[in-house]
Amino acid sequence: MLSVLIDRGRTRVWLILAALVSVAIRLRMYWSPITTDEGGYLAVARSWAHGRVLYRDIWVDRPQGVLILFRFWDWISGGNTASIRIMAMLFGVLLVVSTGLVVRQLVGERAGRLAALIVAVVSAAPALEGHSANGELLSGALAATGLAVGIAALNSARSTRWMYAAGVLGGLAISLKQSGCDGLVALGGWLLFAGFRSPARRQRSRREFVALSAGTLTIIIAMAVLGATTSFTRWWFAFVGYRLSTHSALSGGEWFRLFRTGPMALIVLGGAAIASFVWCRSLVHRWRSTGVPSDSHELVLGLWLAASFVVFVAGGGFHRHYWLVLAAPLSSLAAATLARIEAAATIRLALAGMLVPSLLLSGWVFAAGRATIAVRSSDDGRAHPDEGVTRWFHHHRLPGDQLYAMCASAALYADAHTDPGYLYLWYEEVRGAPEAQDKLVSYLANPTTAPRFIAEYQRSPTCDTSGRVAHILESQYRSVGRVDGVIMLERVNPTVPRSNFRVRRCLS
């Protein structure tokens, strides 16, 4: 099977070079602050490892796979928070190699090499958070790997066995983030199409589709069983219900962010998108002239792009890293378009037109200092203050002290190596999860759970419009300083008179 996926010679060299390009682009960002998603996943994974009950005591709207991955990485790295960027590099390499193999099998050697190079540049672009270990990169890499294995299985004598393996990989992609289903949809859609169009292949397509589905269900059932050990209802809400009811294109879609992140995505992916449009138009024209062939494996690429586009829109959040869902399919179709050009000079010119804008934008991000590089790469102004608050907390904390980022700065807990006391770490969850404000009030008002320190990233009315949180802060907390623009609050000890508290703070 491996000999089917990777041939000797120039293709292997191209894949290695493209993988190195993806690592090189990401290398500069290793020394930048971690992002909200990276830090949040790591904080949840650590809390889970420390005995908190997932989806009850600590919550995230992601399947267990990504948290298991972060728990494992945190263990093998010895708790080194910055090392998760190495994990992002490894998954980036997997995405490059898998995309190149998919296109090589469907279109040809030259197209596969071009696809690997294009996706290496655009998927690593820091302006789309390609450097971070976000769910889109992690799940997309496994989705592309599953697709590569499934396409190879189409020409294998043991297609059922390998199609099951492709389903398992697709299921693992979904376990990292729900958007990882695009490769499965493309492969499954082609099997249904081929079985419908070709009676001679119908029985084989049926077996392969069943094997693919069985592989996927193996992982999903395993996640459901693991979730049911504590609460199937809570697991299902995190896996499916939350997005459908509170935060998706159908409910609470943040369309304003689509127009804010779109210009960055246009610079990085615009050239590949234009070439992909040319490919789609050419394919439709050929089909109108000659009819739709029943064995057109090339259709898989079109289905992959369509599935990824639906997943991208359905997410409803439109953060910069959401655009990474489109990187591999657009790179694949762009490579298929360039491979049809005979003149090498024309290919090089078109390739430069696709990649140079992305590289120039990456250079603009790289040129920023540590205090502003996260703003340029992710529009997040909390990343650098997180590090300052972490230093402040370690200087002032006593054993057992807790820190709360209000309303939310999920990466702070990973930076500070402290477990969150409040179960919701992301701003959207604090605002949109059921009873989130009530639970926040209970957390802050209870003397046994209330944190000693609060880092006030957002003001209390943003977290709770009822005013209850503001009342608690007014009566039980006092400002003790400001760190990189973040107001630090400390809880007043109810056994110490307020005047004594002020004297103690002045002397400390």
Side-chain angles (χ1 to χ4, degrees):
M1 187 67 176
L2 291 177
S3 62
V4 175
L5 289 176
I6 302 180
D7 290 342
R8 293 189 301 269
R10 293 182 61 190
T11 298
R12 181 181 298 175
V13 174
W14 268 76
L15 292 178
I16 293 173
L17 291 176
L20 292 176
V21 167
S22 75
V23 171
I25 295 175
R26 290 182 170 94
L27 191 59
R28 161 66 180 89
M29 301 302 289
Y30 178 85
W31 291 275
S32 65
I34 61 172
T35 65
T36 296
D37 279 0
E38 290 174 312
Y41 296 154
L42 191 55
V44 173
R46 286 171 176 169
S47 295
W48 189 21
H50 296 161
R52 301 285 182 87
V53 176
L54 186 60
Y55 306 127
R56 187 194 71 186
D57 304 328
I58 192 73
W59 198 89
V60 62
D61 63 327
R62 294 289 182 269
Q64 301 99 315
V66 68
L67 304 175
I68 293 173
L69 174 62
F70 272 74
R71 278 184 67 168
F72 173 75
W73 188 267
D74 196 47
W75 174 68
I76 64 172
S77 68
N80 186 335
T81 300
S83 71
I84 55 177
R85 292 289 166 79
I86 298 176
M87 182 172 69
M89 293 178 191
L90 295 177
F91 274 82
V93 167
L94 181 62
L95 178 64
V96 168
V97 174
S98 299
T99 302
L101 294 177
V102 166
V103 178
R104 184 194 69 82
Q105 294 176 92
L106 296 176
V107 184
E109 297 289 342
R110 183 161 68 164
R113 298 165 191 162
L114 291 171
L117 180 58
I118 295 171
V119 78
V121 174
V122 301
S123 68
L128 299 185
E129 299 183 61
H131 61 284
S132 71
N134 56 72
E136 286 72 18
L137 174 64
L138 302 177
S139 64
L142 281 185
T145 305
L147 185 58
V149 171
I151 294 170
L154 297 177
N155 299 316
S156 171
R158 300 177 178 179
S159 62
T160 303
R161 180 181 303 178
W162 286 108
M163 200 62 74
Y164 176 83
V168 169
L169 288 168
L172 290 173
I174 294 174
S175 79
L176 298 181
K177 191 178 180 184
Q178 296 90 325
S179 60
C181 64
D182 55 344
L184 284 171
V185 172
L187 188 56
W190 187 89
L191 290 174
L192 293 175
F193 167 80
F196 175 78
R197 292 282 299 177
S198 175
R201 204 191 187 284
R202 187 165 299 163
Q203 186 174 359
R204 176 172 177 171
S205 291
R206 186 183 298 116
R207 290 198 307 268
E208 292 171 344
F209 185 83
V210 169
L212 180 71
S213 302
T216 305
L217 287 174
T218 298
I219 303 301
I220 294 178
I221 290 173
M223 288 192 297
V225 170
L226 180 60
T229 58
T230 54
S231 171
F232 179 82
T233 302
R234 285 195 295 263
W235 172 81
W236 180 256
F237 179 72
F239 186 46
V240 177
Y242 174 77
R243 283 283 167 178
L244 291 180
S245 62
T246 64
H247 195 65
S248 68
L250 301 177
S251 176
E254 298 173 328
W255 299 100
F256 70 92
R257 190 175 285 118
L258 176 66
F259 299 100
R260 192 166 71 187
T261 62
M264 292 291 185
L266 184 63
I267 295 173
V268 176
L269 300 173
I274 293 172
S276 299
F277 175 78
V278 172
W279 180 91
C280 293
R281 184 176 179 180
S282 174
L283 184 67
V284 171
H285 178 73
R286 279 186 289 144
W287 282 1
R288 284 180 177 177
S289 302
T290 62
V292 182
S294 60
D295 60 345
S296 177
H297 289 181
E298 201 175 13
L299 177 61
V300 175
L301 295 181
L303 292 173
W304 193 13
L305 177 60
S308 65
F309 181 77
V310 170
V311 166
F312 167 74
V313 173
F318 308 115
H319 296 276
R320 290 202 199 183
H321 55 272
Y322 277 34
W323 292 93
L324 292 178
V325 172
L326 304 173
L330 287 176
S331 299
S332 300
L333 292 179
T337 302
L338 294 183
R340 292 176 182 164
I341 301 175
E342 295 184 1
T346 304
I347 293 178
R348 287 194 290 269
L349 183 62
L351 194 62
M354 291 182 193
L355 302 186
V356 169
S358 178
L359 292 173
L360 291 176
L361 185 60
S362 297
W364 173 73
V365 175
F366 295 157
R370 190 172 183 85
T372 57
I373 195 168
V375 177
R376 290 191 179 187
S377 63
S378 62
D379 290 326
D380 190 355
R382 297 168 296 179
H384 183 65
D386 282 344
E387 297 178 323
V389 172
T390 294
R391 290 189 294 269
W392 187 95
F393 176 62
H394 285 305
H395 179 71
H396 291 83
R397 72 183 301 182
L398 296 174
D401 283 347
Q402 279 195 339
L403 173 66
Y404 171 56
M406 190 182 76
C407 301
S409 186
L412 174 63
Y413 302 105
D415 279 331
H417 282 265
T418 185
D419 290 339
Y422 178 56
L423 73 166
Y424 296 116
L425 307 190
W426 280 264
Y427 177 78
E428 291 86 355
E429 297 166 0
V430 176
R431 294 286 297 168
E435 301 180 348
Q437 285 82 44
D438 292 336
K439 293 176 180 178
L440 177 59
V441 171
S442 299
Y443 166 61
L444 295 177
N446 189 337
T448 61
T449 62
R452 179 185 173 191
F453 297 112
I454 294 178
E456 198 174 13
Y457 285 85
Q458 298 94 18
R459 302 310 298 266
S460 57
T462 306
C463 314
D464 173 44
T465 57
S466 70
R468 293 173 296 172
V469 170
H471 176 71
I472 293 172
L473 298 185
E474 175 66 24
S475 60
Q476 301 183 27
Y477 285 86
R478 292 293 180 267
S479 174
V480 291
R482 187 184 293 264
V483 180
D484 291 333
V486 178
I487 299 174
M488 302 302 301
L489 305 176
E490 183 177 14
R491 183 176 174 83
V492 178
N493 188 339
T495 64
V496 179
R498 185 170 298 178
S499 58
N500 291 346
F501 170 79
R502 288 175 177 159
V503 171
R504 180 172 59 84
R505 285 303 308 160
C506 291
L507 294 177
S508 62

